[in-house]
Structure formats: C-alpha cells, structure tokens
Amino acid sequence: MVTLKGGTRPPWVGLGASVWIQIASGNAFNFPLYSHSLKSVLGFSQQQLTMLGVANDIGENVGILPGIACNKFPPWVVLLIGAVFSFFGYGVLWLAVSRTVESLPYWLLWLALCVAANSNAWLGTAILVTNMRNFPLSRGTVAGILKGYGGLSAAVYTEIFGILLHNSSSKLLLFLSLGIPILCILMMFAVRPCTPASGEDTAEHCHFLFIQAASVVLGLYLLTTTVLYHFVSLSAFVSYAFLVLMVLLLMAPLAIPLKMTLYPSNRSKLGTLGQSVESMDKMEPLLTQSISATNLASFYESDSVSDVDMLLAEGEGAVKKKRRPKRGEDFKFLEALIKADFWLLFLVYFAGVGSGVTVLNNLAQIGIAQGAHDTTTLLSLFSFCNFVGRLGGGTVSEHFVRSRTIPRTIWMTFTQIIMILTYLLFASALDGTLYIAIGVLGICYGVQFSIMVPTASELFGLKNFGIFFNFISLGNPLGALLFSGLLAGFVYDNEAEKQHSTSCLGPNCFRLTFLVLSGVCAIGTVLSVVLTKRIKPVYDMLYSGGSFKLPQSSSH
C-alpha cells in the first residue's frame, strides 16, 4: 500500500509541481515546430511525414503501462521512466536532424519519435492520477486545470523555440532531450499521494479559482506575445524579459502552498480521511454526503489486497457472493471492457480527438496550402484555444453537474456539432476564415480531453482510473493513423503530384479530408447523445445533493 502524506499543504505543493510537469509533458504538441525540418533535411514525402505524426500520437497516447505502474509504484518512479524515454527518444531525433549521425533508417526515427512522445504518457498519467486521487471531490476542476496547462504547453514551447532557441529545430530537439529529464528530476518528489480532505472547503474552492485565473492570464500573455512577435521586431533584452515573465506566471500555483506556510490556519475546518475514528464520528453529517475512508483507501490498494479482504469477509459470513460493480463504483479493467458505456465513451472521444489531431498534425501544411506561412502563429492560436477548451470544459461541466446533475458528456455533444461546421468551413477555404476555424477547432478539441477524464473516473471509479483513461486515449493515435496517416497524407501527395510539386497549394490539398472528418463528428454526435441519455441516472445518484458522493459499496 502506498504511503500517504497527511496535511493540507502537500497536495497543493504537488499540484503546483504538476503544472510544470504538465507543461513539459506537452512535448508531443511540438511536432509541427520541427516536422518541416524532418521533411526538408531528411527528404521525406508528406505521407512519410504524416506517418511520423502517427508515431508521435501513438507514443503520446499509449499509456496502459503507465496506468498499471501508477497502481504499483510511487509517482516519482513513473515520472523517472518518462524522463528516460524523453532523453533517448528526442536524443535520436536530434542526432538525425543535426546531421551528427548520417543516414539513420526511417524505421529507427519512427520508433524514436514513438518513444519520445511516450514520455508524455508516463508524465501525464503520473500527475493526473495522483492529483485526481488527492482531490477526489473536485475531479472535473483538477482535470480541467491540468489538461488546460497541457494545452498551453505548445505556446510555452513556441516562446522558448523563438526566443531561446532562435527557431532552430535541432536545438529544440536537444532542449527536449535534456530539459524534460532535468525538470522531472527537480519536481518528481513533490508529486506524492496525500490524504484527501473528508469534505468540501470554501478555501479549496478559492485556491482552484486562483489557479484557474493564473492560467487564463498565462494563456492571454502567451497569445499576446506571440502575435506581438509576428508584427513587431523586439530587441533581445525585451524578448528575454518576456520569457522571464512567462516563467514567473508558471510559478503562480506555488503561491498557494507558500501562503499556507506563511499564514497557517489555526484550526482546519475540515479533517482528512486519515483522522482517527473518534474524530470522524463527530463529522458524521458531513460524511453522509462525501466519501468514506474505506472507499478512498481502496484507491491505493492493489487488486490482490481487495481480493484477500473479500475472501476473509466471505469466511466470516459477511457476504455470500462477490457481485459485479455498478456504474459509479470501482471497476477492474476487464469488468469495464464489457460495459457498453465504456465503448460509447471511447468512440465519442475517438471521433472528437481523432479528427482534431489530424488538423494538428498537418497544421503547417494546412497553413501553407491556404497561404499562411507563419506556422508558429497558427500553433500558438491552436494551443491557446485548446487551453480555453480544456479549462473551460472542466469548469463548466463541474458547475452544471453539481447544480443540475447534467452529465459531462453533453458538452462533448455540443462541441462535436460545432466541429462538423468547422470542418466544413476548412473545406470551403474562404478568405479570412483559416484563423477563425483553427481557433474554434482548438476550443472544441480541448473540451474532449477535459470531459473524458473525469467522466471515466465517475463511471468506473478512481482505483484503476489510470488504465481506463489511457485506454480510451488510444482513440487519439487510432484517429491519427486512419485520418492523418492514411487519408490526409494520401490526398495531399496526390494533389501535390497533380501540381508537379513536393508542396501542395490550394483548398483541394485537404478538402476531401475535411469532408470526411465532418462525417466522423456527425457519427460521434449521435453516439454522444446516446451515451448522455444512458448515464444520466448515474449522475443523478452521484451529484443528487449538489456535491460529489460515492456509493457506500464502491469498494469491492
């Protein structure tokens, strides 16, 4: 059983450190920054390049092993593995792009990119699972914050790419291979399992609002400075000053544990689940609307422990038969796989992110085809809007699920309807609509992430949550393979061949791809409506009192 850290300050220290690791784990979003160099320096075709994008997405989203590891090892071990993957994966890519080693085979580069991006899965799973367990009563908010900062990571890397690395792809790859491991080593021991609070606290709500506000300020700052760089020539001193200010804004979440250290409260209004039985008895009215100590303790137990407990209980006559869990309780992985809701959530997520990642992987080529040659501005715009969608999706869904017990998946439905229209707008290639379409798509794309994560935990429990959300995340690389690698790359190369050029120009380069993507989101919309209707009773049960509560039998 994992040793838990008590007190109210350590979870916030871990959340502040997790923000930095979440930014680092956005390394997979950097593919558009160096993809053009892979194509020009190594002489790849567009289809070869899109298949490298598929490797990037596979590595980023194949996280079954990290999910299992989170139940077996402390977070620092999982983070260390991610750091090692980043070092070796991006190191090989740097050797190729910098021409330090000549003629590396394509399959080795594909595998190296897959390993490099897989560091994202290890880092992201470790911090998300740990923080969701540390703040179990605010799952949507925590998921929105962490996924929101993850959405900003591309803009952060873009600032570093332009100011510190002078738009050099080889320097960026070297920075990723060394910088991410160093950051993980500095932060990994601050991310630890902590004893959750036994009830909701107004101070906690204010702390979350502060972090959300700080992330919005950071997002606006990144968007503003990126646009400023595009239109105004700034001196080196001003550019580095902007970079320092960005670092300070990233440190804002650490102000909460600092405030707790300097101004400790005399008496905690709410206890923790590690309290004595006597003190918990005094809080009985609160516990009827929150999570029992037995339920939350099960988040950190292995399956073998729960099985032994069940056998002992059977021997004592406490139960006659081990029943299957109900939705909202803790599922094992194989138990969840036979549930229709699990596969509906997978397919809805696949339609949303699988189509969106196709645009992200081909963002540079889409921009060039429609006459926008500054791809860093496009990436920063997509990154900021992705952040807005992730943060907003978590916050808005948390509000409506508590106030009206509306299932979170209703927001996946709305955004996929908007995505249908956005893809049609892309296909039309009307003048002046490219930036609007990219911004809207970024928001809708971000919502899919921040909704899927807490929904998976609410339907199937937190005990094996790392495995569930990583399995559902496979919808991202699957979509990249089908829609980006096989469809978009093939259509692009065919159109480029018609133009007798290696680079395709004009709306026909991606028009068929966008029409197919709009059809995919139409199917996703229908499935999302079905899923929302099916799980409405679950949310009526979990949030009937206006705050989150688990069934008393959620531990099995």
Side-chain angles (χ1 to χ4, degrees), residues 100-135:
T100 303
V101 176
E102 297 283 349
S103 303
L104 288 176
Y106 179 82
W107 66 265
L108 179 60
L109 295 177
W110 194 95
L111 184 61
L113 184 52
C114 193
V115 170
N118 193 236
S119 65
N120 180 307
W122 289 88
L123 303 181
T125 300
I127 60 174
L128 187 59
V129 170
T130 302
N131 283 282
M132 291 276 280
R133 289 171 174 175
N134 288 348
F135 298 98

